[in-house]
Amino acid sequence: MNTPKIAVIGAGPAGMAAAIEAARAGLTVHVYDENASPGGQIYRQPLAPMRSANGPAAGPESSRGKRLMEELRAAGSRVVLHQGAIVWGVFEERTLVVWENERSERVRPEALVLATGAYDRPVPIPGWTLPGVYTAGATQVLVKTQGVLPGQRVLVAGTGPLLPVVAGQLARAGARVVAVLEAASLRGAWRALPRLWGQWALIGDAFHYWRGLLAARIPYLRSRTVARIIGTEAVQAVVTVALDDAWRPLLDTEQTIDVDAVCLGFGFVPSTQLSQLCSCEHRYAPELGGWIPVTSAEMETTRPGVFAAGDATGAGGAMVAVLEGRIAGIAAAARLGALTPSEAAARMRPHQRALARLKWLREVLDDLTRIRDGLADLTTPDTVVCRCEEVTAADIREVLDEGTADMAQLKRMTRAGMGYCQGRMCGPALAALLARRTGGGMDAIPPLSIRPPVKPVPIEVMATLDEG
């Protein structure tokens, strides 16, 4: 069994920042990540042929990612990177089970930082399972890492600040982006203007991406989204529709556009599977993507010695993630005695102040683009909701008509959530359908139960797991 002082799960912005700060306190940190190199989604490194100042990955986030990775390299041997390592379970006393180098190992750290990030929120609409339909995250992986276009004529639709980013990356890579559809009206966005003062990095980012849209002459349409995707064996066209303030589709506003690829980005869902296995208390925050672990000002969860940071605590972007990661790393080091309380407070203070200013701004932006209930009207009876088990909306509504009243029973009756993704893709949609039927809020519907393995792993992991 490996017994590091601190284990960090995830090597994205939050995980790297946490490891850097704990290492600066004199501790050796073990970082476990599934990817071949650190960076996470936002700081994902392109393959060597793609590394060009004018490549699709170029942008304001690129230089910040490089600086963070330089800090990580400067930590030297105090940060031990485990790349291609899948943490597939958490058991008593913070015991992790990790699949790495074709074998499983138990890891029991004295302190644990969960920086597991978030994943794209799928919205089931007719045709969303056709080849040629991508999430925003998948599109970025194709373009940034491999230089592969999802199509030649691409429509980008959804909500949030990531849409112009993805559209710009596609355009620079050579795709014809026919339009960007923002579901939100952005009415009231002026409320964020006073809070922008002093946030020069965010202002610079926004200017960079909006200038890219203008240069590429990409239309940006508000209060509009994709109603359905047309095609037989692949995407051939999309039907778009105007939305009201509750994001309900408006009659007689449909338009058809010929495309060969669709990029859908309706925000993110925090990855809380491991924090649930740690028995951390969670709360529902719709503006942050859904269920998130409850954390203190030091990013410690309700389980002593377990910290959480970054998009796993609510999708807030890379800048927020880095600040939360630094705070978590410092606090974890203090808990283990590597820093005195006064030393830890002094190190955390500037990060906490910067985080408070950023979150003050994000509150307005997140409220503008949070998912509205009317979006569920786009899901027709024959729309597949759980693509792993091929369960349609009609199948779900049938068991709801029979009196099913909770997620666990819905899962048992339909097999939705039992597939390869273990409910990551269908969970939010299932909860929305259930909430509509019961008339209650989403905060009254707990997420699907989690059991190890939380990620698909070969059956041989059980054979290679050391005794105990």
Side-chain angles (χ1 to χ4, degrees), residues 440-462:
M442 294 282 284
D443 57 342
I445 301 174
L448 291 167
S449 60
I450 300 299
R451 299 180 183 86
V454 298
K455 291 288 183 73
V457 291
I459 192 65
E460 62 187 289
V461 300
M462 303 303 174

Side-chain angles (χ1 to χ4, degrees), residues 118-145:
Y119 55 91
D120 290 90
R121 174 188 298 277
V123 174
I125 59 176
W128 76 293
T129 59
L130 278 170
V133 182
Y134 297 83
T135 62
T139 302
Q140 287 191 306
V141 171
L142 281 176
V143 176
K144 291 173 64 175
T145 307

Side-chain angles (χ1 to χ4, degrees), residues 150-224:
Q152 294 300 317
R153 286 179 56 84
V154 187
L155 178 78
V156 178
T159 191
L162 185 60
L163 299 186
V165 177
V166 174
Q169 290 169 341
L170 284 166
R172 287 196 301 273
R176 169 74 173 96
V177 181
V178 298
V180 175
L181 307 184
E182 166 61 67
S185 69
L186 300 185
R187 192 177 298 116
W190 57 269
R191 291 184 291 125
L193 294 179
R195 304 188 183 196
L196 279 171
W197 183 258
Q199 301 295 340
W200 311 124
L202 283 178
I203 293 172
D205 287 3
F207 178 74
H208 172 85
Y209 293 121
W210 281 107
R211 184 179 61 181
L213 289 186
L214 292 173
R217 298 183 179 180
I218 300 172
Y220 182 88
L221 307 176
R222 297 186 297 274
S223 296
R224 199 165 189 89

Side-chain angles (χ1 to χ4, degrees), residues 318-339:
M319 292 184 185
V320 169
V322 169
L323 292 170
E324 289 185 347
R326 292 191 188 281
I327 294 167
I330 294 168
R335 173 167 278 280
L336 298 182
L339 296 171

Side-chain angles (χ1 to χ4, degrees), residues 272 276 282 284 291-292 407-408 427 431 442-450:
T272 60
Q276 289 182 62
H282 289 70
Y284 188 75
W291 289 95
I292 59 173
M407 290 284 277
M442 294 282 284
D443 57 342
I445 301 174
L448 291 167
S449 60
I450 300 299

